[in-house]
């Protein structure tokens, strides 16, 4: 039986199984097996012996030649190898990927946002490779990627779905572009495809402590009440991964999916905005309903309606921090900020963004802004900067 057939069999069994406390243990085992099969689909068992297995690479046939496009396994484990014309070098302060079904307006949106020509037509599958664009917003340089339209079953290799989703894994933000005239069921289908490839949208990593040991068995600890997981279910899921010695600490009400994500260790957590396009074809009443959908921005890419709201929401979801530099004896330079990602905004991170040797020469820094109590304030390399702070570096 092929991997895809095994996956379908488990999915059918899960769909038939009623969800309750009595079946939680069985469903946890099925989910663990499903996650293992999906990983096996992406990277085959075995090393050098035997050659690639199912899902190892995609191929295209041109005349009498068969061309290997890319290694899914290398990409999934953070060493991307893409086909020519598909990969785009990561530039700027952040990368945004446009994901959606064919003919929902991704190319038009990129063209009107970035001024880059991406082929636009009324038939499906117009974009066959990644089309990059760049916008500058609030001093940050943001890279946009118009990805080919995905189809249902993309995570299992249909179309060029794996390449599309794999590039999406490298993005700081995903825009799922939807046609407002089509059912919102498309939203769930795309989410399902992305989830199947290890992308978690608008979620935080599970608050679960997991540490393998050489001996001692499974040490299970829960710091709060659990509605789904218990010691038996946790042990059975871990045994599916041949893990018999580990410390597990549940610090929140976790699910079997949460535990599997932590054990797999290859999930990426990416913020997502749902862009509902073609609002020029609906009524005001319908637009009011759309505005109530979480993480959603309605637009008309063709007429460039509501782009200001979209750009502002993009900025909020990227969590970028702008730091302005001030040379000694001069006014701050407010035209070209140094842009840092949220969570890496210490003075040391600022120095490394400029040049890796700068931190070695740093004596201290003078900072003006909301991160200090008085202006200016002398700080060290561990001081955490906030948005629109001004900094002056003093070398040794």
């Amino acid at each position: 039986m092929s991997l895809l057939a095994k996956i379908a069999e488990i999915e059918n069994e899960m769909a038939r199984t009623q969800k309750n406390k009595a079946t939680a243990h069985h469903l946890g085992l099925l989910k663990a097996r499903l996650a293992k099969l999906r990983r096996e689909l992406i990277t085959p068992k075995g090393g050098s012996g035997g050659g690639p297995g199912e899902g190892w690479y995609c191929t295209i046939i041109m005349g009498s030649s068969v061309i290997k496009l890319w290694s899914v396994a290398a990409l999934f484990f953070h060493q991307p190898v893409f086909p020519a014309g598909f990969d785009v070098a990561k530039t700027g302060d952040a990368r945004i990927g446009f994901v959606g079904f064919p003919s929902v307006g991704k190319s038009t949106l990129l063209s009107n946002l970035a001024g880059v020509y991406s082929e636009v037509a009324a038939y499906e599958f117009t974009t066959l490779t990644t089309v990059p664009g760049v916008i500058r917003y609030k001093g940050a340089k943001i890279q946009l990627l118009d990805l080919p339209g995905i189809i249902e079953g993309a995570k299992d290799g249909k179309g060029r779905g794996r390449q599309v989703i794999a590039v999406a894994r490298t993005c700081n933000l995903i825009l799922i572009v939807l046609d407002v005239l089509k059912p919102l069921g498309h939203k769930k289908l795309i989410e399902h495809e992305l989830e199947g490839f290890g992308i978690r949208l608008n979620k935080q990593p599970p608050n679960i402590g997991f540490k393998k040991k050489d001996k001692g068995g499974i040490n299970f600890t829960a710091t709060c009440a659990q509605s789904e997981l218990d010691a038996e279910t946790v042990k059975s899921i871990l045994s599916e991964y041949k893990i018999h010695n580990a410390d597990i600490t549940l610090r929140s009400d976790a699910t079997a999916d949460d535990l599997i994500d932590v054990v797999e260790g290859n999930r990426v957590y990416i913020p997502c905005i749902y862009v509902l396009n073609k609002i020029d074809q609906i009524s005001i009443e319908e637009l009011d309903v759309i505005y109530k959908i979480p993480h959603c921005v309605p637009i008309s890419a063709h007429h460039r309606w509501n782009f200001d709201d979209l750009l502002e929401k993009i900025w909020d979801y990227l969590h970028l921090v702008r730091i302005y530099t001030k040379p000694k004896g001069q006014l701050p330079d407010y035209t070209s900020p140094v842009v840092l990602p949220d969570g890496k905004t210490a003075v040391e991170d600022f120095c490394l963004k400029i040049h890796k040797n700068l931190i070695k020469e740093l004596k201290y820094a003078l900072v003006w802004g909301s991160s200090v109590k008085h202006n200016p304030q002398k700080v060290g390399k561990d001081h955490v900067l906030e948005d629109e702070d001004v900094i002056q570096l003093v070398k040794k």
Side-chain angles (χ1 to χ4, degrees):
M1 185 183 294
S2 69
L3 286 176
L4 290 177
K6 291 178 181 178
I7 288 171
E9 185 178 356
I10 291 177
E11 287 179 336
N12 290 335
E13 185 175 351
M14 289 173 62
R16 292 194 303 267
T17 304
Q18 189 174 1
K19 293 182 180 180
N20 52 51
K21 287 187 177 181
T23 61
H25 175 75
H26 179 61
L27 283 172
L29 272 176
L30 291 177
K31 288 176 180 178
R33 288 172 187 165
L34 184 62
K36 283 179 62 182
L37 288 172
R38 289 205 183 283
R39 175 159 45 84
E40 197 175 325
L41 182 68
I42 294 164
T43 174
K45 289 183 177 179
S48 57
E54 184 176 359
W56 178 249
Y57 53 75
C58 300
T59 60
I60 55 174
I61 300 175
M62 299 181 65
S64 60
S65 301
V66 178
I67 303 173
K68 297 179 183 179
L69 286 179
W70 64 305
S71 165
V72 186
L75 183 139
F76 194 75
F77 292 102
H78 314 297
Q79 294 178 340
V81 180
F82 296 93
F86 206 96
D87 185 23
V88 176
K90 195 169 185 177
T91 62
D93 301 306
R95 168 183 272 197
I96 300 175
F98 294 6
V99 177
F101 282 105
S103 300
V104 293
K106 299 188 304 298
S107 300
T108 304
L109 179 58
L110 179 75
S111 299
N112 287 337
L113 271 180
V116 172
Y117 179 75
S118 177
E119 187 178 355
V120 180
Y123 53 88
E124 296 190 346
F125 298 103
T126 313
T127 302
L128 299 177
T129 59
T130 301
V131 179
V134 175
I135 59 172
R136 289 191 177 274
Y137 188 69
K138 295 189 176 182
K141 183 180 178 183
I142 301 171
Q143 183 183 45
L144 309 177
L145 297 181
D146 174 17
L147 301 173
I150 66 172
I151 59 175
E152 188 175 357
K155 66 182 184 304
D156 299 324
K158 291 184 180 179
R160 302 189 78 178
R162 288 187 186 166
Q163 292 116 310
V164 175
I165 299 174
V167 175
R169 283 176 63 94
T170 69
C171 294
N172 304 103
L173 173 66
I174 291 175
L175 298 189
I176 294 182
V177 184
L178 301 165
D179 188 335
V180 74
L181 300 175
K182 294 182 180 179
L184 281 181
H186 285 188
K187 170 178 174 286
K188 291 185 178 180
L189 288 173
I190 292 173
E191 288 172 341
H192 182 66
E193 297 302 321
L194 296 177
E195 288 266 334
F197 214 77
I199 297 175
R200 302 293 178 259
L201 302 175
N202 294 325
K203 293 180 180 178
Q204 295 296 321
N207 195 359
I208 298 176
F210 171 61
K211 184 180 180 182
K212 289 184 182 180
K213 302 185 297 185
D214 295 327
K215 56 184 179 179
I218 302 297
N219 183 20
F220 173 76
T221 305
T223 61
C224 60
Q226 299 294 315
S227 58
E228 181 173 329
L229 292 178
D230 55 25
E232 183 184 356
T233 304
V234 168
K235 287 180 180 178
S236 64
I237 290 174
L238 293 179
S239 66
E240 188 68 29
Y241 287 92
K242 295 181 172 59
I243 298 172
H244 305 290
N245 300 285
D247 291 331
I248 297 290
T249 305
L250 306 181
R251 304 186 187 95
S252 62
D253 187 7
T255 64
D257 290 320
D258 292 335
L259 179 58
I260 290 167
D261 284 351
V262 170
V263 174
E264 286 281 344
N266 52 18
R267 308 314 195 210
V268 292
Y269 297 84
I270 305 176
C272 172
I273 297 173
Y274 302 96
V275 181
L276 292 181
N277 189 25
K278 305 179 183 179
I279 60 170
D280 52 306
Q281 301 180 40
I282 64 173
S283 66
I284 296 295
E285 291 76 18
E286 291 171 313
L287 187 60
D288 289 338
V289 174
I290 288 172
Y291 259 112
K292 296 177 183 178
I293 301 173
H295 312 291
C296 168
V297 178
I299 66 159
S300 170
H302 180 71
H303 295 286
R304 305 187 184 189
W305 291 355
N306 212 28
F307 274 19
D308 288 343
D309 279 359
L310 176 60
L311 288 170
E312 193 60 38
K313 195 140 195 166
I314 285 173
W315 181 259
D316 291 342
Y317 277 52
L318 285 174
H319 299 293
L320 297 176
V321 175
R322 296 159 294 174
I323 308 299
Y324 301 108
T325 56
K326 180 187 181 304
K328 186 177 180 180
Q330 300 180 33
L331 293 174
D333 179 10
Y334 291 110
T335 59
S336 302
V338 176
V339 180
L340 302 173
D342 189 32
K344 292 186 177 180
T345 60
V347 172
E348 182 176 7
D349 298 314
F350 172 84
C351 294
L352 291 173
K353 180 72 180 281
I354 298 173
H355 196 280
K356 61 182 180 181
N357 292 328
L358 187 57
I359 190 65
K360 300 175 183 176
E361 304 171 2
L362 179 69
K363 185 177 181 181
Y364 61 87
L366 295 174
V367 175
W368 294 257
S370 58
S371 71
V372 293
K373 294 181 179 178
H374 51 85
N375 295 303
Q377 182 172 319
K378 185 189 293 187
V379 300
K381 66 176 184 178
D382 296 326
H383 177 75
V384 177
L385 301 165
E386 295 184 6
D387 191 34
E388 296 194 286
D389 276 0
V390 175
I391 188 170
Q392 177 182 321
L393 302 178
V394 179
K395 295 182 180 180
K396 295 177 182 176

